[in-house]
Amino acid sequence: MCAVGTRDEAEAIATALVDARLAACVQLMPVDSVYRWQGAVERASEVMLHAKTTQARLAEAEALIKARHSYAVPEIIAVPIVAGSTDYLGWIEASTSRTEP
């Protein structure tokens, strides 16, 4: 998961992740955030990216996000998949492989 400040930035990062095979899919969702930054409580409308990737591609995905993200400290959080459709999980694996399946 990764929050960004604008729809344009979200689309650019999502496209780059999928183009580089670092994510099989990236969903973009508008969110309203309340957070503490530099001692103050802030509010912002953001776009949450929910990228489907593998543990093997996570470090590369994180590097790409950091290189393209406008925030000083981008939110990059990985949540493990504990279960899922075998077909869907296979699609993620195939879509993020370094070569065409």
Side-chain angles (χ1 to χ4, degrees):
M1 294 185 296
C2 176
V4 299
T6 69
R7 180 78 184 190
D8 287 345
E9 184 176 14
E11 289 179 5
I13 291 173
T15 300
L17 286 167
V18 174
D19 282 350
R21 302 181 72 85
L22 297 176
C25 170
V26 183
Q27 296 170 314
L28 288 66
M29 299 160 277
V31 297
D32 293 320
S33 298
V34 179
Y35 56 95
R36 182 172 302 282
W37 181 248
Q38 298 180 338
V41 175
E42 304 285 342
R43 289 174 170 68
S45 292
E46 297 179 296
V47 179
M48 181 65 69
L49 304 178
H50 187 186
K52 280 67 167 213
T53 191
T54 62
Q55 182 70 36
R57 301 307 303 264
L58 182 58
E60 292 171 274
E62 181 178 359
L64 183 147
I65 291 167
K66 285 181 177 178
R68 295 170 181 257
H69 208 291
S70 63
Y71 292 176
V73 181
E75 169 188 3
I76 302 171
I77 298 174
V79 178
I81 298 171
V82 296
S85 159
T86 301
D87 292 338
Y88 187 78
L89 298 178
W91 170 75
I92 292 173
E93 188 70 38
S95 296
T96 59
S97 70
R98 295 183 191 282
T99 59
E100 290 290 328

